[in-house]
Amino acid sequence: MSNYRIETTCVQGGYTPGNGEPRQIPIVQSTTFKYATSEDMGKLFDLEASGYFYTRLQNPTNDYVAAKLAALEGGTAAMLTSSGQAANFYAVFNIANCGDHVVASSTIYGGTYNLFAVTMKKMGIDFTFVSPDCSDEELEAAFRPNTKAVFGETIANPALTVLDIERFAKAAHAHGVPLIIDNTFATPVGCRPIEWGCDIVTHSTTKYMDGHGCAVGGAIIDSGRFDWMAHADKFPGLCTPDDSYHGITYAEKFGKEGAFITKCTAQLMRDFGSIQSPQNAFYLNLGLESLHVRMPRHCENGLAVASFLKGHPKISFVTYPGLEGDKYYELAQKYMPNGTCGVVSFGFKGGRKAAETFMKTLKLIAIETHVADARSCCLHPANATHRQMNDEELIACGITADLVRLSCGLESSADLIEDIKQALEAVE
């Protein structure tokens, strides 16, 4: 599918049925798979043959969808996980272990920030958080001899900062480490980070990719471009023998194109088991088939709402990278010229109380711990997804107590604006 445009890949990528086979990808709802001999199965356990033996590691349905995602992002290999959180954990933990260090953007999603700053810190991995707007000197100063990766988001949730992918990729590569980008909000329809120097892409497929709020999931896509063996001393897990698989060295046996995902599957999925269910993978594929049609509408609605809010007397600020005059507008035009996302963040002159009044007065737009699907919804991050952060951490993430994150769905933009207008009337 590499020669087809992204619209065609959304619809037909990853799976080509043979004569008399199902036109839609089949749901292989089975935990295990039968083999004629122990020797046949043994080859799978030794990574000497491809195939399936237990769905905790791999499943045909999942692999069809993962192949579509790899094609959409321009990567060489991909895997599905049970959630976006699992995808980000696996992507980092696959190369960073106890005693290692990672540089990360400070404006990343609160759940990811907590995963890094609290949970993975308990595992002995240190993180240095830098502003996406940091100077080159500040970015350079964040690296250590034991740094193993740089992590950021194309469009941060909910701060909506836009990462300068090329600049962060250049810094990462100068230190011999990969750049990992969470591309959830932009999706490959809006931005393909690999084309700008990113090495590993992650997604919460729960969001725009699924698009309907019916299936939680995540994904990791490898660009196949990072030369692990050129930095073998930094990545022993990929570049030295794995005793649990009879001494296989992943970077040698599977090359740049397959080493990262193979190790992530063979080790992390084997041991942690955060697999996406085949049923959810099927739902995800249904969403992907219309992703290229839906994303322009999300962006159109987001821009319409942001434009309305920008001039309202009760609104203190509006953040939307697709809106001319936004701090990140120029970067967004560079990396996402055809649209950013449908998410708008804004604040109230009346502070936290005004934000709370606004939210409980909405009628059409629902309050949900969710974002980026067909139905519009909103959230007050300081009271929800980022509730675990103190005021200093909130500010570092680009969040204030009065900030509301509004995800514009596929409804009429006029109806969304009418709902926002009536809710603002209740705000003092």
Side-chain angles (χ1 to χ4, degrees):
M1 298 297 295
S2 60
N3 295 326
Y4 291 108
R5 292 169 177 80
I6 199 164
E7 297 87 348
T8 303
T9 304
C10 279
V11 178
Q12 295 204 31
Y15 173 68
T16 302
N19 190 41
E21 293 182 345
R23 188 66 189 88
Q24 179 57 278
I25 65 168
I27 304 172
V28 183
Q29 195 66 44
S30 179
T31 60
T32 191
F33 302 83
K34 176 183 178 294
Y35 285 88
T37 69
S38 294
E39 289 77 13
D40 289 338
M41 184 171 284
K43 291 177 182 178
L44 300 176
F45 278 88
D46 289 344
L47 304 182
E48 292 296 333
S50 60
Y52 304 93
F53 53 87
Y54 198 57
T55 285
R56 189 180 78 229
L57 280 88
Q58 285 182 287
N59 178 280
T61 306
N62 292 31
D63 281 358
Y64 292 138
V65 183
K68 176 178 283 191
L69 292 178
L72 287 171
E73 286 286 7
T76 57
M79 64 187 290
L80 301 187
T81 62
S82 59
S83 68
Q85 282 289 85
N88 285 334
F89 171 64
Y90 280 14
V92 174
F93 196 62
N94 200 38
I95 51 177
N97 299 297
C98 183
D100 289 336
H101 171 258
V102 175
V103 176
S105 170
S106 62
T107 60
I108 57 176
Y109 168 61
T112 309
Y113 182 97
N114 194 71
L115 169 67
F116 292 169
V118 179
T119 303
M120 294 187 75
K121 185 176 181 180
K122 293 176 182 177
M123 301 169 74
I125 303 172
D126 286 332
F127 288 80
T128 296
F129 295 93
V130 298
S131 168
D133 306 324
C134 67
S135 66
D136 290 342
E137 292 74 20
E138 289 170 329
L139 181 55
E140 178 69 22
F143 286 87
R144 303 176 188 173
N146 61 336
T147 299
K148 297 300 176 71
V150 178
F151 184 94
E153 294 176 345
T154 313
I155 305 174
N157 174 17
L160 301 182
T161 57
V162 176
L163 193 75
D164 190 342
I165 301 171
E166 279 192 313
R167 187 165 74 93
F168 275 73
K170 182 179 178 181
H173 297 160
H175 288 269
V177 301
L179 173 63
I180 303 171
I181 294 285
D182 185 330
N183 197 34
T184 296
F185 269 18
T187 81
V189 171
C191 179
R192 284 158 52 106
I194 290 171
E195 295 177 352
W196 298 99
C198 170
D199 302 290
I200 308 293
V201 176
T202 64
H203 283 277
S204 169
T205 62
T206 316
K207 310 304 191 298
Y208 286 124
M209 285 187 164
D210 169 77
H212 308 98
C214 67
V216 174
I220 307 171
I221 300 98
D222 183 10
S223 70
R225 296 179 180 179
F226 192 84
D227 192 345
W228 305 104
M229 290 302 292
H231 309 283
D233 58 324
K234 282 184 173 289
F235 305 104
L238 284 160
C239 301
T240 59
D242 180 358
D243 293 338
S244 67
Y245 282 104
H246 303 294
I248 281 177
T249 299
Y250 295 99
E252 290 180 350
K253 185 172 181 62
F254 301 102
K256 291 188 296 183
E257 296 79 11
F260 186 90
I261 293 296
T262 302
K263 177 181 179 294
C264 204
T265 301
Q267 287 186 354
L268 303 189
M269 194 62 81
R270 175 196 64 189
D271 294 342
F272 290 101
S274 301
I275 193 74
Q276 187 170 145
S277 74
Q279 187 75 49
N280 278 12
F282 178 83
Y283 293 143
L284 168 58
N285 187 62
L286 292 180
L288 290 172
E289 289 177 353
S290 63
L291 182 65
H292 61 294
V293 179
R294 292 183 287 107
M295 285 308 297
R297 181 57 177 264
H298 284 295
C299 295
E300 176 188 320
N301 282 354
L303 181 58
V305 167
S307 299
F308 167 77
L309 288 168
K310 186 178 182 181
H312 199 280
K314 294 182 181 180
I315 299 299
S316 59
F317 68 88
V318 177
T319 302
Y320 184 71
L323 182 65
E324 193 167 357
D326 185 89
K327 180 179 180 180
Y328 296 97
Y329 179 77
E330 295 302 326
L331 272 180
Q333 289 299 297
K334 174 182 177 179
Y335 293 116
M336 294 159 277
N338 297 319
T340 54
C341 64
V343 182
V344 182
S345 291
F346 54 97
F348 294 81
K349 292 179 180 178
R352 181 190 288 262
K353 183 178 179 181
E356 292 172 346
T357 299
F358 170 81
M359 291 186 62
K360 66 185 179 184
T361 312
L362 291 167
K363 297 178 180 178
L364 175 64
I365 302 166
I367 298 173
E368 298 177 13
T369 310
H370 191 43
V371 66
D373 78 7
R375 290 162 292 276
S376 293
C377 58
C378 68
L379 191 72
H380 188 195
N383 271 338
T385 54
H386 293 64
R387 193 180 183 91
Q388 72 275 17
M389 294 184 178
N390 59 39
D391 288 346
E392 290 182 357
E393 291 171 334
L394 284 172
I395 292 171
C397 283
I399 297 169
T400 56
D402 64 325
L403 183 144
V404 166
R405 181 191 72 186
L406 195 160
S407 174
C408 299
L410 302 178
E411 305 92 345
S412 161
S413 61
D415 287 337
L416 296 179
I417 290 171
E418 283 299 318
D419 193 30
I420 293 167
K421 189 182 297 183
Q422 66 84 24
L424 284 170
E425 291 174 358
V427 175
E428 296 180 359

